[in-house]
Amino acid sequence: MASAHTFVPNPVKLTGRSLKVMQPNYTLAIRLGDQSLRQELAKFYEHVRQEHPKYRKYLVMPEKLMLPIASMHLGSQASIDAACSVLEHSNDLVKKHLTASPVVHYKGLKSNGSGTVISTRSCIMPAELAGLARDLRLRFWSLGYVANAKTMPKRTPFFEDNVIPDGTEWEASCGKLTGWKPQITLIRLHGTDLARKMREATASFKSATKHNKGVVVENGVSRKITLNDFFGIPESALKLFEQHDFGSQTVDRLDLLSLVNNDGPVQEYPSRGQLCLNF
C-alpha cells in the first residue's frame, strides 16, 4: 500500500478553541440518483404532504438525499483539496474490496427515539461495500478528517505507512470510532427553539408517566405513554412505510459533498471529489 503522504500532504491539526467550534461541513456519501428509487421515496413524501402537512417543511428534498459514510470538518481550501486527494487516490481500497459495482437495497422506515428524525430502517448491501466504507472511514479518520473533536486521533497520520489494521472500527481506532450505521435521513426536525421544545416535552412526559402510571387508554385499548406523544414526528407518519420496499441502487461512485451554504429548496449538494467504482 502507498505511504501516507500519497494521500494527504497536509494532515489536519486542530487544537484548543478550533476543536470546540468544529461542525461537519463535508461528507463522504453515496448519492441517491436512481429514478425508480426516488419514485418510491416520493410516495412517502406525498403521504407526509397530504396527511401530515405541518412536517412537510422538514422533508429532505430528493435532490439532497444521500447515504452518508463519513462526515468531517474542512476549514480551509487546502484541507478540502487534501481530502479530495485522499478520496481520489483510494483506488487501492476499491481493488481490495470490490470486483463489481455493488448494489444497495433500501427497505422500511424508522424513527429515532425522540421523534426528530425519520430514516430508512435497513440498507442491505454486500459485505464488500461495507468493508470499503470501513476502510475509507478509518483512512479519513487517521488523517484527522473528523466531524467531532472527541474522535480526533492523537497523531496524524495515525496508521504507520497508512496500513489499516483488521478488526472493528472501534478496535482499529483505539476506541475513537464506532461502527458505521448506514441510513438515509428523510425528515429531520430543526429550528432554533427545538431544544427548548424537547425539554418541555420531556418534562410533560415525565409528569404523565408519574401521574398516569405511564398508561393511556385510546378507543378502549391501553398503551404505554411515550415521549412521541408530546414531541416529534408522530408514528402515524411512517406507519404505512415501516416495511415498505423502496428498491435498489447500483453504486458506481462515492462523492465528497459540500454541505456549506446550500439551503436552496432543490439544489443538490455539490461534489468536490469522487471515487469511481466502475468495472
Side-chain angles (χ1 to χ4, degrees):
M1 186 176 288
S3 61
H5 70 270
T6 302
F7 302 101
V8 55
N10 296 303
V12 174
K13 294 181 180 180
L14 294 173
T15 59
R17 179 174 172 76
S18 61
L19 285 176
K20 297 179 181 179
V21 299
M22 283 174 56
Q23 295 292 333
N25 56 2
Y26 281 79
T27 186
L28 175 61
I30 299 170
R31 287 190 190 274
L32 268 65
D34 185 86
Q35 291 303 312
S36 61
L37 177 61
R38 285 193 178 186
Q39 289 173 5
E40 287 300 313
L41 290 169
K43 296 178 181 179
F44 170 69
Y45 279 45
E46 186 61 23
H47 170 71
V48 172
R49 293 187 181 103
Q50 295 296 326
E51 303 297 330
H52 305 276
K54 66 179 292 185
Y55 296 104
R56 60 185 299 173
K57 66 179 180 179
Y58 300 114
L59 287 166
V60 179
M61 291 297 99
E63 293 78 7
K64 294 184 177 181
L65 288 174
M66 60 179 169
L67 179 60
I69 296 175
S71 297
M72 63 198 74
H73 177 86
L74 303 177
S76 66
Q77 187 60 49
S79 64
I80 295 170
D81 293 341
C84 289
S85 179
V86 173
L87 181 61
E88 293 166 358
H89 288 86
S90 289
N91 286 302
D92 61 313
L93 299 182
V94 176
K95 293 177 181 178
K96 173 184 174 182
H97 291 283
L98 302 180
T99 57
S101 297
V103 176
V104 182
H105 194 88
Y106 304 97
K107 186 175 182 180
L109 296 181
K110 64 180 180 179
S111 174
N112 67 344
S114 63
T116 58
V117 175
I118 289 181
S119 60
T120 49
R121 178 175 297 275
S122 61
C123 299
I124 306 168
M125 65 183 66
E128 293 81 2
L129 178 58
L132 173 61
R134 169 199 174 275
D135 281 5
L136 283 169
R137 282 165 54 83
L138 285 169
R139 174 168 286 178
F140 274 89
W141 168 82
S142 73
L143 298 169
Y145 297 105
V146 298
N148 186 330
K150 294 181 180 179
T151 66
M152 179 71 71
K154 293 182 179 180
R155 65 183 188 278
T156 56
F158 185 79
F159 301 128
E160 296 295 335
D161 296 324
N162 205 48
V163 176
I164 302 171
D166 296 329
T168 65
E169 290 178 56
W170 180 263
E171 294 168 340
S173 65
C174 297
K176 291 290 187 178
L177 284 184
T178 57
W180 182 41
K181 297 180 180 179
Q183 61 182 28
I184 302 166
T185 298
L186 303 181
I187 298 183
R188 183 187 298 276
L189 299 187
H190 54 81
T192 55
D193 60 345
L194 189 62
R196 177 185 57 79
K197 291 180 178 179
M198 181 67 174
R199 289 194 298 269
E200 292 175 350
T202 301
S204 299
F205 169 63
K206 290 180 177 179
S207 176
T209 301
K210 179 179 179 180
H211 296 291
N212 299 327
K213 298 182 179 180
V215 176
V216 64
V217 179
E218 294 178 338
N219 299 321
V221 179
S222 299
R223 68 169 179 84
K224 292 187 66 176
I225 297 173
T226 68
L227 180 61
N228 192 234
D229 290 315
F230 302 91
F231 179 82
I233 305 162
E235 293 183 0
S236 57
L238 65 151
K239 192 71 173 179
L240 295 176
F241 295 87
E242 285 181 324
Q243 301 299 327
H244 186 80
D245 192 334
F246 291 103
S248 302
Q249 176 183 14
T250 299
V251 182
D252 55 13
R253 79 181 194 196
L254 306 180
D255 288 271
L256 184 64
L257 302 177
S258 171
L259 311 179
V260 182
N261 298 327
N262 193 26
D263 297 324
V266 296
Q267 185 180 4
E268 65 180 13
Y269 294 123
S271 176
R272 302 305 186 196
Q274 300 177 355
L275 178 63
C276 293
L277 308 183
N278 292 325
F279 292 87

